Amino acid sequence: MIENNAAYLQTLGQQAKQASYALAGLTGQQKQALLSAIAGSLTKNSATILAANRKDVVAARDNGLNDAMIDRLLLDESRLQGVISDIDNVINLVDPVGTELESQVLDNGLRLSRRRVPLGVIGVIYEARPNVTVDIAVLALKTGNAVILRGGKETLQSNLALSEAIRAAVVEQGLPADSVQLIQSPDRTLVSGLLKLDQFVDMIVPRGGQNLQRLCAEQATIPVILGGIGICHLYADKDADIAKSIEVIANAKVQRPTVCNALDTVLVHESIADQLLPQLYTHLAASGVSFYGCQQAQTIAEKQGVAISIATEETYGQEWLSLTLGIKVVRDIATAIDHIRAYSSGHSEGILTDNIHASAHFVNAVDSAAVYVNASTRFTDGGQFGLGAEVAVSTQKLHARGPMGLEALTTYKWIGVGEYTARS
Amino acid sequence: MIENNAAYLQTLGQQAKQASYALAGLTGQQKQALLSAIAGSLTKNSATILAANRKDVVAARDNGLNDAMIDRLLLDESRLQGVISDIDNVINLVDPVGTELESQVLDNGLRLSRRRVPLGVIGVIYEARPNVTVDIAVLALKTGNAVILRGGKETLQSNLALSEAIRAAVVEQGLPADSVQLIQSPDRTLVSGLLKLDQFVDMIVPRGGQNLQRLCAEQATIPVILGGIGICHLYADKDADIAKSIEVIANAKVQRPTVCNALDTVLVHESIADQLLPQLYTHLAASGVSFYGCQQAQTIAEKQGVAISIATEETYGQEWLSLTLGIKVVRDIATAIDHIRAYSSGHSEGILTDNIHASAHFVNAVDSAAVYVNASTRFTDGGQFGLGAEVAVSTQKLHARGPMGLEALTTYKWIGVGEYTARS
């Protein structure tokens, strides 16, 4: 138990800020050595880590968590091995810190450049899966940042064991243990306190559902990167290739329905609805998809004997994360865009069309992190985009948008070098 | 009077978002024509604008505002002419919107690019000077953004007249008047309401003092760009050229003491304090500077008969905005950096030294928007940095740091173009 939350968080913040100064000065080689040491320490301590995780699993069973949730928090030998070998990928990524983004010499001789530097201290609030503890710590350290972690209470024992193994490696490399700190109490008021630690923490990344995102937006005095909620749309235009469109829609819905870039609603131009929808129903119903649709979509479904519920404002505004799909027949592209503007979470949308004007208009008019032409929404992913790693998927517009790679953990400073130059 | 603040703000937000869709689709030429029309409309309506400003000035006198404050809100023929001719400069700036930041073709053939796009709707909260109404509206429109303006109550009549002239030009160009909206009531609860309008507003820029910045950080659910507060430091290292250093320090303090990049505290290595400080006192006292200093700085000052007050934690933490300077003698560069970390607002700091190792260490260790070697802090300015325009000076680390030009009013979207490409 923590006696005084405010004092505890102040100390955490101060320690993190102090550690960040040491990390900001590391060379790429030193950071690579640090990450290797972390991989080594996790391997060495794997028995302890797995034992801690078993405690979390037992507690979760006692608390009546369902099998899917228990599976999410479970670490076994092979999962832990996967987490550790992912560190090798991060070691091999190009370190963005220190790059000069641009430079110029002013007329008075001042050499001015913008240099990429670590953000400083990053706070990450996450749920369930304990691998996030390692993933985030490693990405933060790779970019020279200190990190304060706040995991879910269901994985507290696992997170403690993982963070202790990481801290041991940090110390072994001659760096401050507090480069990586885990909030050690499940007390929820600590989250609110963390969100107001703007004196020490430079960015908050919440990795969790709508409620966590909203809490952060409302309470934080620190810049927050909102994201990870995907209410994703595909619009099949009047000039869409119907057979190919069905393949893309099916891919976006079925390939991995539980993730944020999976399709939630398909919008179909009324002139192709009679052709496209019957085939789509047959194809998707065979994959176990269930449907919510507008009146017109329902009429077509019923002719085929496919079950469909009537869509509402509420269902259109829902991120399904399951084999469920909303369907709406629209009068034209403008109506499709209006629907997207009303219901999208700004994650991923796409148009299916052979028409160059429709595609250009859609790309310009739809204001989401990722906008596709004739492609599945499932591509919005750090790995697919070649970022090497993914911190989160941002659905807000400042600093980072869409999949966030290492660069999103950095900022820049302006550096001006003169010859005792004064402003005239 | 506004009957229902919440409903009023909702309407404002909806209208701005709707207008932003129209603005996002404009070509560079259309935006240039729009800005020319605004300049024309301000010229045409200048008698009305100046009459409105006279009402503000009379009210300000009646309310006992001092001459400096009245001067800040005053518009006369020549100042208004200056504001209008500044629009020409913005017209001629390169429009960053539409640029592809990078592009790649994934192995599956998906063409992926990042395209710079307008942010959408920008909210700006500012005080006193009515020229900000025009400056910000023009910069927002140049980058295809809608804007909601909230000026100070002292300039409400001026701002109303200015914004009406701008809106007339917007309409004349066939665009929604609500591309530019001014909050028409001085009610302060409207500021709190604006800060929570995250459904419609993409970024808040507060241009004002510490209290406004803090209010925004605490209340906003929209990303806020904090800035404009400069507690700036120069550190004269043991290897500094003393005569040249005094020139730079004097420039940073005296050239324009009322702005955020003016020097607030000079830190002097103890090994050169006995040489540098007497000359510095003489030089600056002649310019009317008064001093707060540490014990050692005071001892040296008194030998010279220069008046100096003892500095405290509070005075070191103050942005002077006047001919006042804090002075501290430090044991070494590490102590100087510690002082800066404790008291800086993250705006502008510099080292004065001939030593390459000291300069490199200082640049790495000081975490401010602008870090100088042998140069005045006065350079931190959009105009000096060649940005062409300055929206604000950011002292936070996300999205934009230091002087913010047009790019800071944009974000990017990822665009993926396939051939009905599915993820495998």
Side-chain angles (χ1 to χ4, degrees):
Chain A
M1 279 308 299
I2 293 157
E3 290 281 325
N4 178 331
N5 282 348
Y8 171 70
L9 287 170
Q10 281 284 314
T11 306
L12 228 61
Q14 262 159 359
Q15 288 168 348
K17 183 57 87 181
Q18 209 56 44
S20 78
Y21 298 139
L23 295 171
L26 297 182
T27 64
Q29 277 180 347
Q30 288 170 315
K31 287 182 273 193
Q32 287 166 9
L34 173 58
L35 266 49
S36 290
I38 290 171
S41 179
L42 290 169
T43 304
K44 206 175 77 185
N45 292 288
S46 58
T48 315
I49 294 163
L50 295 176
N53 184 255
R54 278 193 294 275
K55 284 189 207 164
D56 283 332
V57 170
V58 168
R61 286 230 171 79
D62 290 351
N63 291 322
L65 268 66
N66 65 34
D67 285 352
M69 291 185 75
I70 287 174
D71 185 63
R72 289 186 71 201
L73 62 84
L74 180 78
L75 273 184
D76 56 21
E77 193 95 33
S78 103
R79 284 191 186 178
L80 181 58
Q81 200 42 58
V83 170
I84 293 169
S85 59
D86 279 348
I87 297 177
D88 286 332
N89 301 336
V90 178
I91 290 173
N92 294 324
L93 293 177
V94 175
D95 178 3
V97 168
T99 314
E100 306 251 309
L101 300 176
E102 61 196 35
S103 70
Q104 54 177 314
V105 183
L106 306 188
D107 289 345
N108 57 19
L110 190 77
R111 298 195 74 88
L112 185 70
S113 60
R114 276 202 300 157
R115 185 181 298 177
R116 202 177 276 289
V117 296
L119 269 172
V121 178
I122 299 165
V124 182
I125 305 169
Y126 53 104
E127 294 165 349
R129 292 187 302 146
N131 63 298
V132 176
T133 305
V134 179
D135 291 354
I136 292 288
V138 161
L139 293 170
L141 294 171
K142 173 75 182 184
T143 41
N145 292 287
V147 69
I148 299 177
L149 301 166
R150 162 67 188 213
K153 68 173 187 302
E154 302 79 10
T155 48
L156 185 56
Q157 298 307 321
S158 313
N159 291 339
L160 279 167
L162 289 165
S163 63
E164 280 314 312
I166 294 169
R167 285 162 60 94
V170 171
V171 170
E172 179 199 309
Q173 295 291 306
L175 292 164
D178 295 327
S179 302
V180 176
Q181 296 180 95
L182 178 78
I183 295 185
Q184 307 213 347
S185 155
D187 183 348
R188 292 200 61 171
T189 64
L190 288 166
V191 173
S192 303
L194 172 61
L195 294 174
K196 295 187 190 308
L197 222 52
D198 53 66
Q199 201 188 341
F200 306 113
V201 180
D202 297 292
M203 178 168 85
I204 293 284
V205 182
R207 290 190 30 165
Q210 197 87 58
N211 290 344
L212 176 63
Q213 305 283 329
R214 200 62 216 160
L215 178 85
C216 290
E218 281 171 4
Q219 299 200 349
T221 59
I222 305 167
V224 176
I225 301 288
L226 298 181
I229 310 289
I231 302 172
C232 302
H233 300 77
L234 283 175
Y235 163 60
D237 185 46
K238 67 178 164 55
D239 296 324
D241 181 305
I242 288 174
K244 292 177 182 169
S245 292
I246 289 168
E247 291 303 322
V248 173
I249 294 166
N251 177 262
K253 180 69 260 178
V254 175
Q255 198 225 14
R256 197 169 170 206
T258 57
V259 292
C260 60
N261 58 22
L263 180 64
D264 294 285
T265 301
V266 63
L267 305 164
V268 182
H269 192 284
E270 60 179 12
S271 71
I272 63 165
D274 285 333
Q275 287 175 271
L276 184 142
L277 283 181
Q279 297 177 53
L280 186 69
Y281 288 134
T282 307
H283 195 317
L284 292 184
S287 303
V289 174
S290 59
F291 306 99
Y292 284 83
C294 65
Q295 194 60 58
Q296 209 170 333
Q298 196 183 43
T299 306
I300 297 171
E302 283 173 349
K303 275 187 208 155
Q304 277 195 285
V306 169
I308 184 168
S309 310
I310 278 289
T312 61
E313 289 228 346
E314 201 187 336
T315 61
Y316 283 136
Q318 188 151 338
E319 184 188 26
W320 291 114
L321 299 172
S322 68
L323 284 174
T324 313
L325 181 66
I327 297 177
K328 188 179 188 179
V329 178
V330 294
R331 205 174 50 239
D332 52 22
I333 187 171
T335 318
I337 290 167
D338 284 346
H339 180 96
I340 291 170
R341 285 174 178 170
Y343 295 103
S344 162
S345 63
H347 192 296
S348 301
E349 338 289 341
I351 182 172
L352 303 164
T353 188
D354 292 339
N355 185 304
I356 194 172
H357 306 294
S359 78
H361 177 60
F362 187 89
V363 164
N364 284 329
V366 171
D367 188 24
S368 292
V371 185
Y372 295 97
V373 177
N374 298 331
S376 171
T377 54
R378 289 276 296 114
F379 286 110
T380 309
D381 174 293
Q384 293 289 318
F385 281 14
L387 300 180
E390 184 178 289
V391 179
V393 178
S394 160
T395 55
Q396 50 109 65
K397 300 188 193 170
L398 268 66
H399 187 66
R401 199 174 193 196
M404 293 165 63
L406 291 178
E407 279 188 14
L409 301 181
T410 68
T411 180
Y412 57 83
K413 61 172 82 155
W414 296 86
I415 298 171
V417 180
E419 292 285 350
Y420 296 93
T421 311
R423 179 163 170 185
S424 51
Chain B
M1 280 308 299
I2 294 158
E3 290 282 325
N4 179 330
N5 283 346
Y8 171 70
L9 287 170
Q10 281 283 314
T11 304
L12 228 62
Q14 262 160 357
Q15 290 169 346
K17 182 58 87 180
Q18 210 55 45
S20 77
Y21 297 139
L23 296 171
L26 297 181
T27 64
Q29 278 180 345
Q30 288 171 315
K31 288 183 272 191
Q32 288 167 9
L34 173 58
L35 268 48
S36 290
I38 290 172
S41 179
L42 290 169
T43 304
K44 205 175 78 184
N45 292 288
S46 58
T48 316
I49 293 164
L50 294 176
N53 183 254
R54 277 192 296 275
K55 285 188 206 164
D56 284 332
V57 170
V58 168
R61 285 231 171 79
D62 290 349
N63 291 323
L65 266 66
N66 66 33
D67 285 352
M69 291 185 74
I70 288 173
D71 185 64
R72 288 187 72 201
L73 63 85
L74 181 79
L75 274 185
D76 56 22
E77 192 95 33
S78 103
R79 283 191 185 177
L80 181 58
Q81 201 41 60
V83 170
I84 293 169
S85 59
D86 279 348
I87 298 176
D88 286 333
N89 300 335
V90 178
I91 290 174
N92 294 325
L93 292 178
V94 175
D95 177 3
V97 169
T99 313
E100 305 252 310
L101 299 174
E102 61 196 35
S103 69
Q104 54 179 314
V105 183
L106 305 188
D107 288 345
N108 56 20
L110 190 76
R111 298 196 73 88
L112 186 69
S113 61
R114 277 203 298 158
R115 185 182 298 176
R116 200 178 278 290
V117 296
L119 269 171
V121 178
I122 299 166
V124 183
I125 305 168
Y126 53 104
E127 293 165 349
R129 291 188 302 146
N131 62 299
V132 176
T133 305
V134 180
D135 291 353
I136 291 290
V138 161
L139 293 170
L141 294 171
K142 173 76 181 182
T143 41
N145 292 288
V147 69
I148 298 177
L149 300 166
R150 163 68 187 212
K153 67 173 188 300
E154 301 79 10
T155 49
L156 184 56
Q157 298 306 322
S158 313
N159 291 338
L160 278 167
L162 288 165
S163 63
E164 280 314 311
I166 294 168
R167 285 163 61 94
V170 171
V171 171
E172 179 199 307
Q173 295 290 307
L175 292 164
D178 295 328
S179 301
V180 176
Q181 294 180 96
L182 179 76
I183 294 185
Q184 307 212 349
S185 154
D187 183 347
R188 292 201 61 173
T189 63
L190 288 166
V191 172
S192 302
L194 172 61
L195 295 174
K196 296 188 190 307
L197 222 51
D198 53 65
Q199 199 188 340
F200 306 113
V201 180
D202 297 292
M203 177 169 85
I204 293 284
V205 182
R207 290 189 31 166
Q210 197 86 60
N211 290 344
L212 176 63
Q213 305 283 328
R214 200 62 215 161
L215 179 84
C216 291
E218 281 172 4
Q219 298 200 351
T221 58
I222 305 167
V224 176
I225 301 288
L226 299 180
I229 310 288
I231 303 172
C232 302
H233 299 78
L234 283 175
Y235 163 60
D237 185 45
K238 68 178 163 57
D239 295 324
D241 180 305
I242 288 174
K244 292 176 182 168
S245 293
I246 288 169
E247 292 301 323
V248 173
I249 294 167
N251 177 263
K253 180 70 258 179
V254 175
Q255 198 226 14
R256 198 169 170 205
T258 58
V259 291
C260 60
N261 58 21
L263 179 64
D264 293 285
T265 302
V266 62
L267 305 164
V268 182
H269 192 283
E270 60 179 13
S271 71
I272 63 163
D274 287 332
Q275 287 174 272
L276 185 142
L277 283 181
Q279 297 177 52
L280 186 70
Y281 288 133
T282 308
H283 194 317
L284 291 185
S287 303
V289 175
S290 60
F291 305 99
Y292 284 83
C294 66
Q295 194 61 56
Q296 209 171 331
Q298 195 183 45
T299 307
I300 297 171
E302 281 172 350
K303 273 188 206 152
Q304 277 194 286
V306 168
I308 183 168
S309 310
I310 277 291
T312 61
E313 289 228 345
E314 200 188 336
T315 62
Y316 283 137
Q318 188 151 338
E319 185 188 25
W320 291 114
L321 299 172
S322 68
L323 283 173
T324 313
L325 181 66
I327 296 177
K328 189 179 188 180
V329 178
V330 294
R331 205 175 51 239
D332 51 22
I333 187 171
T335 318
I337 290 167
D338 283 346
H339 180 96
I340 290 170
R341 287 174 176 169
Y343 294 103
S344 163
S345 62
H347 192 295
S348 302
E349 337 290 339
I351 183 172
L352 303 164
T353 188
D354 292 338
N355 185 304
I356 193 172
H357 306 294
S359 78
H361 177 59
F362 187 90
V363 164
N364 284 329
V366 170
D367 188 23
S368 292
V371 186
Y372 295 97
V373 176
N374 299 330
S376 170
T377 54
R378 290 275 297 113
F379 287 109
T380 309
D381 174 295
Q384 294 287 318
F385 281 14
L387 300 182
E390 184 178 289
V391 179
V393 178
S394 160
T395 55
Q396 48 109 67
K397 299 187 193 171
L398 268 68
H399 187 65
R401 199 176 193 195
M404 292 164 66
L406 291 179
E407 279 188 13
L409 301 182
T410 68
T411 180
Y412 57 82
K413 62 171 82 154
W414 295 86
I415 297 170
V417 180
E419 293 283 350
Y420 297 92
T421 312
R423 180 164 170 184
S424 52

